[in-house]
Amino acid sequence: MNGGHGAGGSGADAARRDRLRMDISREACRLFWERGVDATTGDRIARAVGVSTRTVWRHFRNKESCAEPIVTRGAAWETAVLRRWPPHLSLEEHLAAEARRYARAATDLDRLDDLLATRMAVLAATEPAVRTAWLMARDQARRELAEAIAHRTRRPPDDLQVLLYAAAASASVRVLHETVGAALLTGADPEDFADTPHRVARAVRSATGGAVGDPTEAV
């Protein structure tokens, strides 16, 4: 009984820790965008969250790393989407379906996190510390894309062609994310980018020479 209670408590502690990390990350990203990274201190982040500065440093190694949970959230979503890609659907069909599902299920907090992640992707162009977090997240997405490509092409994950496809496709998708994000943040009509799932799929197809994107099994 005690062992079960301890395990449950550990899980609850981990959940609280993750929530606090996200709270800190949201406020840090907000401040980075509004004030700039240099003008944002750990003390200011702590005050915005309502915790002690020591608490911030207990969860993050430095102020720049506070952006990582928000930045990596989008990559984690992409990873989950790739893992769910069924063999009977094209990439266009799958991404469009996932985007519709997310739009229905997303909460206000999810949308705030999406906005902050977009801001960090744009800020990464001028803030090297934020760019480090952004590129780390994109690298994780590249690794997951390599796994998906290996599965779809029936090649080993460490096959050179698979790795080249994943590198090219990931770079194309990163540029697309950065370009679309910058346009939206400067006032572009979101409807102009309603076809982003299809743009992503086309980028992957183009980067892989058409090797990735089609269904691999009939319904």
Side-chain angles (χ1 to χ4, degrees):
M1 292 292 291
N2 289 340
H5 178 75
S10 177
D13 289 344
R16 283 194 294 270
R17 183 170 60 250
D18 289 344
R19 285 195 298 270
L20 179 55
R21 279 177 55 82
M22 282 301 295
D23 287 343
I24 293 171
S25 188
R26 287 186 189 104
E27 290 300 327
C29 289
R30 180 183 65 79
L31 290 167
F32 289 165
W33 180 256
E34 293 176 358
R35 305 176 61 88
V37 175
D38 288 344
T40 300
T41 64
D43 290 339
R44 188 176 291 277
I45 294 170
R47 287 197 300 273
V49 181
V51 298
S52 67
T53 305
R54 180 178 297 179
T55 297
V56 172
W57 300 143
R58 190 162 62 241
H59 288 84
F60 295 95
R61 61 188 180 277
N62 52 46
K63 67 178 181 181
E64 293 84 2
S65 67
C66 291
E68 290 174 5
I70 285 292
V71 171
T72 58
R73 178 180 172 277
W77 183 81
E78 288 180 20
T79 295
V81 166
L82 286 172
R83 288 175 178 165
R84 291 195 295 267
W85 184 9
H88 66 279
L89 290 182
S90 70
L91 185 55
E92 288 88 344
E93 292 169 326
H94 178 56
L95 292 180
E98 289 289 332
R100 289 193 296 271
R101 182 170 73 168
Y102 181 76
R104 291 192 299 269
T107 65
D108 289 342
L109 193 57
D110 289 330
R111 298 182 194 283
L112 172 61
D113 289 346
D114 292 340
L115 173 62
L116 291 172
T118 299
R119 287 176 171 175
M120 292 304 100
V122 172
L123 191 62
T126 56
E127 292 284 1
V130 175
R131 189 162 187 79
T132 297
W134 170 241
L135 292 178
M136 285 173 58
R138 299 316 311 166
D139 186 62
Q140 180 58 37
R142 176 189 60 79
R143 294 171 187 274
E144 294 296 334
L145 183 56
E147 292 285 343
I149 289 173
H151 180 72
R152 303 291 287 200
T153 59
R154 295 179 172 83
R155 293 171 180 258
D158 60 351
D159 180 85
L160 178 59
Q161 190 60 64
V162 167
L163 297 177
L164 290 173
Y165 282 156
S170 179
S172 297
V173 172
R174 175 174 61 81
V175 170
L176 184 59
H177 278 306
E178 292 172 352
T179 303
V180 171
L184 291 173
L185 290 177
T186 53
D189 186 347
E191 287 300 315
D192 291 342
F193 300 100
D195 65 340
T196 294
H198 290 276
R199 295 188 191 207
V200 170
R202 287 196 298 271
V204 171
R205 281 182 183 276
S206 177
T208 61
V212 179
D214 291 337
T216 57
E217 293 181 11
V219 178

